[in-house]
Amino acid sequence: MNVEELYGYADDHLILSPSPTQLRRAIEVVENWSADYNIKLNPQKSGILEVPPKFGDTVLKVGGTFNNIPIVDSYKYLGVWVDQKLSPQKHLDYLFGSKKKKGENEPGKKGKVGFLVNSLSPCFKDISFEYRVNLWVTFIRPLFLPLAAMGSILTATERSNIQTKMRISL
């Protein structure tokens, strides 16, 4: 089989880089490889999320670009929202909606969990508790699994907040 006969789709690449110079080089390598294999990159569907050291400052300016790729303060990677502090809050806001801010007339969105619960709720009146639990395990619990993987870098308060949200969703 010739390379020209191969078709594919690549998505959700992650590049870890300790400096802007090495990041620039890594982007060039990806761009060159993609050009060699006739794969088109879309920089506007990409994002650079800088995660600075705990007490360090960011080097890149959010809202700007780096090699035509937007610099962002949060990014959805493999279905998980991550911010510059690696905090679970952005993902929890995605799951449960953000809280209503002062001065807003409309309450925050209900989030992914609210959408799924509302979608499944017509089924609840006619099914057993065990079946309800199975629905939760199938549709809701997987949304929390990425946060469990972050467990070692979360504070006790963040872990407690996640556990509370899981109980609420059940």
Side-chain angles (χ1 to χ4, degrees), residues 59-107:
V59 175
L60 305 173
K61 184 178 181 198
V62 172
T65 61
F66 186 88
N67 278 38
N68 296 321
I69 299 173
I71 300 166
V72 297
D73 62 355
S74 61
Y75 194 78
K76 189 176 183 184
Y77 180 70
L78 297 175
V80 181
W81 278 100
V82 181
D83 65 13
Q84 292 179 308
K85 295 180 180 179
L86 298 178
S87 160
Q89 192 57 51
K90 184 79 175 175
H91 192 67
L92 288 173
D93 288 347
Y94 165 70
L95 295 180
F96 291 95
S98 55
K99 294 180 182 175
K100 183 179 175 181
K101 295 177 182 170
K102 269 189 174 178
E104 286 184 355
N105 292 328
E106 295 181 31

Coordinates of all heavy atoms in Angstrom, one line a residue, residues 59-107:
V59 N 4.7 33.1 30.7 CA 5.6 33.8 29.8 C 4.8 34.3 28.6 O 5.0 35.4 28.1 CB 6.7 32.8 29.3 CG1 7.5 33.5 28.2 CG2 7.5 32.4 30.5
L60 N 3.8 33.5 28.2 CA 3.0 33.8 27.0 C 1.7 34.6 27.4 O 1.2 34.3 28.5 CB 2.6 32.5 26.3 CG 3.7 31.6 25.9 CD1 3.2 30.3 25.3 CD2 4.6 32.3 24.9
K61 N 1.3 35.5 26.6 CA 0.1 36.3 26.9 C -1.2 35.7 26.4 O -1.3 35.5 25.2 CB 0.3 37.7 26.3 CG -0.8 38.7 26.7 CD -0.6 40.0 26.2 CE -1.8 40.8 26.6 NZ -2.2 41.9 26.3
V62 N -2.1 35.4 27.3 CA -3.4 34.8 26.9 C -4.1 35.8 26.0 O -4.1 37.0 26.3 CB -4.2 34.5 28.2 CG1 -5.7 34.2 27.8 CG2 -3.6 33.4 29.0
G63 N -4.7 35.3 25.0 CA -5.4 36.2 24.0 C -4.5 36.5 22.8 O -5.0 36.8 21.7
G64 N -3.2 36.3 22.9 CA -2.3 36.4 21.8 C -2.2 35.1 21.0 O -2.9 34.2 21.2
T65 N -1.2 35.1 20.1 CA -0.9 33.9 19.4 C 0.6 33.5 19.5 O 1.4 34.4 19.8 CB -1.3 34.0 17.9 OG1 -0.5 35.0 17.3 CG2 -2.8 34.2 17.8
F66 N 0.9 32.3 19.2 CA 2.3 31.8 19.2 C 2.4 30.9 18.0 O 1.7 29.9 17.9 CB 2.6 31.1 20.5 CG 4.1 30.7 20.6 CD1 5.0 31.5 21.1 CD2 4.5 29.4 20.1 CE1 6.3 31.1 21.3 CE2 5.8 29.0 20.3 CZ 6.7 29.9 20.8
N67 N 3.2 31.3 17.0 CA 3.2 30.5 15.7 C 1.8 30.4 15.1 O 1.4 29.3 14.6 CB 3.9 29.2 15.9 CG 5.4 29.3 15.8 OD1 6.0 30.2 16.3 ND2 6.0 28.3 15.2
N68 N 1.0 31.4 15.2 CA -0.4 31.4 14.7 C -1.4 30.6 15.5 O -2.5 30.3 15.0 CB -0.5 31.1 13.2 CG 0.2 32.1 12.4 OD1 0.2 33.3 12.6 ND2 1.0 31.6 11.4
I69 N -1.0 30.1 16.6 CA -1.8 29.2 17.5 C -2.3 30.1 18.6 O -1.4 30.7 19.3 CB -1.1 28.0 18.0 CG1 -0.7 27.1 16.7 CG2 -2.0 27.2 18.9 CD1 0.2 25.9 17.1
P70 N -3.6 30.2 18.9 CA -4.1 31.0 20.0 C -3.5 30.5 21.4 O -3.4 29.3 21.6 CB -5.6 30.8 20.0 CG -5.9 30.2 18.6 CD -4.7 29.5 18.2
I71 N -3.2 31.5 22.2 CA -2.8 31.2 23.6 C -4.0 31.4 24.5 O -4.7 32.4 24.4 CB -1.7 32.2 24.0 CG1 -0.5 32.1 23.1 CG2 -1.3 31.9 25.5 CD1 0.5 33.2 23.2
V72 N -4.4 30.4 25.2 CA -5.6 30.3 25.9 C -5.4 30.1 27.4 O -4.3 29.7 27.9 CB -6.5 29.2 25.4 CG1 -6.9 29.4 23.9 CG2 -5.8 27.8 25.5
D73 N -6.4 30.5 28.2 CA -6.3 30.3 29.7 C -7.0 29.0 30.1 O -6.8 28.6 31.3 CB -6.9 31.5 30.4 CG -8.4 31.7 30.2 OD1 -9.0 30.9 29.3 OD2 -9.0 32.5 30.8
S74 N -7.7 28.3 29.2 CA -8.2 27.0 29.5 C -8.4 26.3 28.2 O -8.5 26.9 27.1 CB -9.6 27.1 30.3 OG -10.5 27.7 29.5
Y75 N -8.5 24.9 28.2 CA -8.5 24.1 27.0 C -9.2 22.8 27.3 O -9.0 22.2 28.3 CB -7.1 23.9 26.4 CG -7.1 23.4 25.0 CD1 -7.3 24.3 24.0 CD2 -6.9 22.1 24.7 CE1 -7.3 23.9 22.6 CE2 -6.9 21.6 23.4 CZ -7.1 22.5 22.4 OH -7.1 22.1 21.1
K76 N -10.0 22.4 26.3 CA -10.7 21.1 26.5 C -9.9 20.1 25.7 O -9.7 20.1 24.5 CB -12.1 21.1 25.9 CG -12.9 19.9 26.2 CD -14.3 20.0 25.7 CE -15.2 18.8 26.0 NZ -16.5 19.0 25.4
Y77 N -9.3 19.2 26.5 CA -8.4 18.1 25.9 C -8.9 16.8 26.3 O -9.1 16.4 27.5 CB -7.0 18.3 26.5 CG -6.0 17.3 25.9 CD1 -5.6 17.3 24.6 CD2 -5.5 16.3 26.8 CE1 -4.7 16.4 24.1 CE2 -4.6 15.3 26.3 CZ -4.2 15.4 24.9 OH -3.4 14.4 24.5
L78 N -9.2 16.0 25.3 CA -9.8 14.6 25.4 C -11.0 14.7 26.3 O -11.2 13.8 27.2 CB -8.8 13.7 26.0 CG -7.5 13.4 25.1 CD1 -6.5 12.6 25.9 CD2 -7.9 12.8 23.8
G79 N -11.9 15.7 26.2 CA -13.1 15.8 26.9 C -13.0 16.4 28.3 O -14.0 16.5 29.0
V80 N -11.8 16.8 28.7 CA -11.6 17.4 30.0 C -11.2 18.8 29.9 O -10.2 19.1 29.2 CB -10.5 16.6 30.8 CG1 -10.4 17.1 32.2 CG2 -10.9 15.1 30.8
W81 N -11.9 19.7 30.6 CA -11.5 21.1 30.7 C -10.3 21.3 31.7 O -10.4 20.8 32.8 CB -12.6 22.0 31.1 CG -13.5 22.3 29.9 CD1 -14.7 21.7 29.6 CD2 -13.3 23.2 28.9 NE1 -15.2 22.2 28.4 CE2 -14.3 23.1 28.0 CE3 -12.2 24.1 28.6 CZ2 -14.4 23.9 26.8 CZ3 -12.3 24.9 27.5 CH2 -13.4 24.8 26.6
V82 N -9.2 21.9 31.2 CA -8.0 22.1 32.0 C -7.7 23.6 32.0 O -7.8 24.2 30.9 CB -6.8 21.3 31.4 CG1 -5.6 21.5 32.3 CG2 -7.2 19.8 31.3
D83 N -7.4 24.2 33.1 CA -7.0 25.6 33.1 C -5.5 25.7 33.5 O -4.8 24.7 33.7 CB -7.9 26.4 34.0 CG -7.8 26.0 35.5 OD1 -6.8 25.3 35.9 OD2 -8.6 26.5 36.3
Q84 N -5.0 26.9 33.6 CA -3.6 27.1 33.9 C -3.1 26.7 35.2 O -1.9 26.5 35.5 CB -3.2 28.6 33.7 CG -3.4 29.0 32.2 CD -3.0 30.5 32.1 OE1 -3.6 31.4 32.7 NE2 -2.1 30.8 31.2
K85 N -4.1 26.5 36.2 CA -3.7 26.0 37.5 C -3.9 24.5 37.7 O -3.8 24.0 38.8 CB -4.5 26.8 38.5 CG -4.2 28.3 38.6 CD -5.1 29.0 39.6 CE -4.8 30.5 39.6 NZ -5.6 31.2 40.6
L86 N -4.4 23.9 36.6 CA -4.8 22.5 36.7 C -5.8 22.2 37.7 O -5.8 21.2 38.4 CB -3.5 21.6 36.9 CG -2.5 21.6 35.8 CD1 -1.3 20.7 36.1 CD2 -3.1 21.2 34.4
S87 N -6.7 23.2 37.9 CA -7.8 23.1 38.9 C -9.0 22.3 38.3 O -9.2 22.4 37.1 CB -8.2 24.5 39.2 OG -9.5 24.5 39.8
P88 N -9.7 21.6 39.1 CA -10.9 20.9 38.6 C -12.1 21.8 38.3 O -13.1 21.3 37.8 CB -11.2 19.9 39.7 CG -10.7 20.6 40.9 CD -9.5 21.3 40.5
Q89 N -12.0 23.0 38.8 CA -13.2 23.9 38.7 C -13.8 24.1 37.3 O -15.0 24.1 37.1 CB -12.9 25.2 39.4 CG -14.2 26.1 39.7 CD -15.2 25.3 40.5 OE1 -14.9 24.8 41.6 NE2 -16.4 25.2 40.0
K90 N -12.9 24.3 36.3 CA -13.4 24.5 35.0 C -14.2 23.3 34.5 O -15.2 23.4 33.8 CB -12.2 24.8 34.1 CG -12.6 25.1 32.6 CD -13.0 26.5 32.5 CE -13.2 26.9 31.1 NZ -13.8 28.2 30.9
H91 N -13.7 22.1 34.8 CA -14.4 20.9 34.4 C -15.7 20.7 35.2 O -16.7 20.3 34.6 CB -13.5 19.6 34.5 CG -14.1 18.4 33.9 ND1 -14.2 18.3 32.5 CD2 -14.6 17.3 34.4 CE1 -14.7 17.1 32.2 NE2 -14.9 16.5 33.3
L92 N -15.7 21.0 36.5 CA -16.9 21.0 37.2 C -18.0 22.0 36.7 O -19.2 21.7 36.7 CB -16.6 21.2 38.7 CG -15.9 20.1 39.5 CD1 -15.5 20.6 40.9 CD2 -16.8 18.9 39.5
D93 N -17.5 23.2 36.3 CA -18.4 24.1 35.7 C -19.0 23.6 34.4 O -20.2 23.8 34.1 CB -17.7 25.5 35.4 CG -17.4 26.2 36.6 OD1 -17.9 25.9 37.7 OD2 -16.6 27.2 36.5
Y94 N -18.2 22.8 33.6 CA -18.7 22.2 32.4 C -19.8 21.1 32.8 O -20.8 21.0 32.1 CB -17.5 21.6 31.7 CG -17.9 20.6 30.6 CD1 -18.5 21.0 29.4 CD2 -17.6 19.2 30.7 CE1 -18.9 20.1 28.4 CE2 -18.0 18.3 29.8 CZ -18.6 18.8 28.6 OH -18.9 17.8 27.6
L95 N -19.5 20.4 33.8 CA -20.4 19.3 34.2 C -21.7 19.9 34.8 O -22.8 19.3 34.5 CB -19.8 18.4 35.2 CG -18.6 17.6 34.7 CD1 -18.1 16.7 35.8 CD2 -18.9 16.7 33.5
F96 N -21.6 20.9 35.7 CA -22.8 21.3 36.4 C -23.2 22.7 36.1 O -24.2 23.2 36.7 CB -22.5 21.3 37.9 CG -22.4 19.8 38.4 CD1 -21.1 19.2 38.5 CD2 -23.5 19.1 38.8 CE1 -21.0 17.9 38.9 CE2 -23.4 17.8 39.2 CZ -22.2 17.2 39.3
G97 N -22.5 23.4 35.2 CA -22.9 24.8 34.9 C -22.2 25.7 35.9 O -21.8 25.4 37.0
S98 N -22.0 26.9 35.4 CA -21.3 27.9 36.3 C -22.4 28.6 37.2 O -23.5 28.6 36.8 CB -20.6 29.0 35.4 OG -21.5 29.5 34.5
K99 N -21.9 29.1 38.3 CA -22.8 29.7 39.2 C -23.3 31.1 38.7 O -22.5 31.7 37.9 CB -22.1 29.9 40.6 CG -21.8 28.6 41.3 CD -21.1 28.9 42.6 CE -20.7 27.6 43.2 NZ -20.0 27.8 44.4
K100 N -24.4 31.5 39.1 CA -25.0 32.7 38.7 C -24.1 33.8 39.3 O -23.8 33.8 40.4 CB -26.4 32.9 39.1 CG -27.1 34.2 38.7 CD -28.5 34.2 39.2 CE -29.1 35.6 38.8 NZ -30.5 35.7 39.3
K101 N -23.7 34.8 38.4 CA -22.9 35.9 38.9 C -23.8 37.1 39.3 O -24.9 37.2 38.8 CB -21.9 36.3 37.8 CG -20.9 35.3 37.4 CD -20.0 35.7 36.3 CE -19.1 34.6 35.9 NZ -18.3 34.9 34.7
K102 N -23.3 37.9 40.2 CA -24.1 39.1 40.6 C -24.4 39.9 39.4 O -23.6 40.2 38.6 CB -23.3 39.9 41.6 CG -23.5 39.5 43.0 CD -22.8 40.5 43.9 CE -23.2 40.2 45.4 NZ -22.5 41.1 46.3
G103 N -25.7 40.4 39.4 CA -26.1 41.3 38.3 C -26.7 40.6 37.1 O -27.2 41.2 36.3
E104 N -26.5 39.2 37.0 CA -27.0 38.5 35.9 C -28.5 38.2 36.2 O -28.9 37.9 37.3 CB -26.3 37.2 35.7 CG -24.9 37.4 35.1 CD -24.2 36.0 34.8 OE1 -24.8 35.0 35.2 OE2 -23.2 36.0 34.2
N105 N -29.3 38.3 35.1 CA -30.7 38.0 35.3 C -31.0 36.5 35.1 O -31.9 36.0 35.7 CB -31.6 38.8 34.2 CG -31.5 40.2 34.5 OD1 -31.4 40.6 35.7 ND2 -31.6 41.1 33.5
E106 N -30.3 35.8 34.3 CA -30.5 34.4 34.0 C -29.6 33.5 34.8 O -28.4 33.8 35.0 CB -30.3 34.1 32.6 CG -31.3 34.8 31.7 CD -31.1 34.4 30.2 OE1 -30.7 33.3 29.9 OE2 -31.4 35.3 29.4
P107 N -30.1 32.4 35.4 CA -29.2 31.5 36.1 C -28.2 30.9 35.2 O -28.4 30.8 34.0 CB -30.1 30.5 36.7 CG -31.4 30.6 35.9 CD -31.4 32.0 35.4

